Amino acid sequence: MIYSNKVLEHFKNPKNVGEIKDADGIGEVGNPICGDTMTIYIKVKDKRIKDIKFQTFGCAAAIASSSMLTELAKGKTIADAKKITRDAVADELGGLPSIKMHCSNLATDALKKAIEDYERKHK
Ligand code: FES
C-alpha cells in the first residue's frame, strides 16, 4: 500500500494528540470491521473550536486522518467544522488508498459526534 508523504508525516508526527479533561464535547466512534476506535475532544468558545484533541487506536491512515482533521477544525466555527468532509481530509493528506477511505470517515464521524455532544449539553 502506498501512502503519500503527508500521510506518513502525520502518522509519524501526529498533531493534537491527547485528551481534553474539561472538554465541551466528546465524540467516540469505532469501526466494527477493523476494530479501530477514535475519540475527539473539543473545547468551544464563542461558537468556535478553540481546542481539539484526539486519541486513536488504529491504522496509519486513521491516525493521519485524525491529525489532519484536528488541524482543519481548529479555530473554525462550529458551523464550518460541520462542513468538513472525509474527502477534504483525504485531499489535504494528498489522497488515501481507496481501501483506506473509511479511516478518514472515522475522523469526520468522531468530530460530528463531538459537536452533537456539545450542542446537546449547551442547548
Ligand atoms: Fe480501521 Fe483504518 S483500518 S480505521
Side-chain angles (χ1 to χ4, degrees):
M1 184 171 320
I2 311 264
Y3 282 128
S4 70
N5 286 338
K6 204 94 198 223
V7 170
L8 295 175
E9 191 183 304
H10 276 265
F11 170 58
K12 289 185 199 151
N13 233 326
K15 308 275 190 297
N16 308 307
V17 178
E19 186 184 349
I20 299 176
K21 292 274 186 222
D22 57 345
D24 295 315
I26 300 174
E28 197 176 351
V29 291
N31 182 317
I33 298 166
C34 62
D36 293 350
T37 63
M38 186 181 294
T39 308
I40 298 256
Y41 303 86
I42 55 171
K43 195 83 193 145
V44 180
K45 190 157 186 233
D46 300 329
K47 300 205 167 135
R48 214 171 259 282
I49 298 184
K50 211 182 114 216
D51 198 12
I52 178 164
K53 291 209 182 297
F54 77 90
Q55 287 178 320
T56 293
F57 300 96
C59 69
I63 290 169
S65 297
S66 322
S67 172
M68 181 53 81
L69 174 90
T70 57
E71 289 280 275
L72 290 177
K74 207 179 219 172
K76 279 207 168 50
T77 61
I78 290 289
D80 285 344
K82 280 182 183 172
K83 292 182 201 148
I84 301 173
T85 61
R86 73 170 195 171
D87 288 336
V89 174
D91 285 353
E92 286 293 327
L93 285 170
L96 280 173
S98 53
I99 60 157
K100 287 286 172 182
M101 277 308 282
H102 76 274
C103 315
S104 60
N105 233 1
L106 216 54
T108 48
D109 285 353
L111 176 62
K112 217 172 281 165
K113 277 201 168 185
I115 291 173
E116 280 167 15
D117 184 43
Y118 160 74
E119 287 178 333
R120 202 171 31 243
K121 289 173 179 160
H122 296 82
K123 274 242 155 84

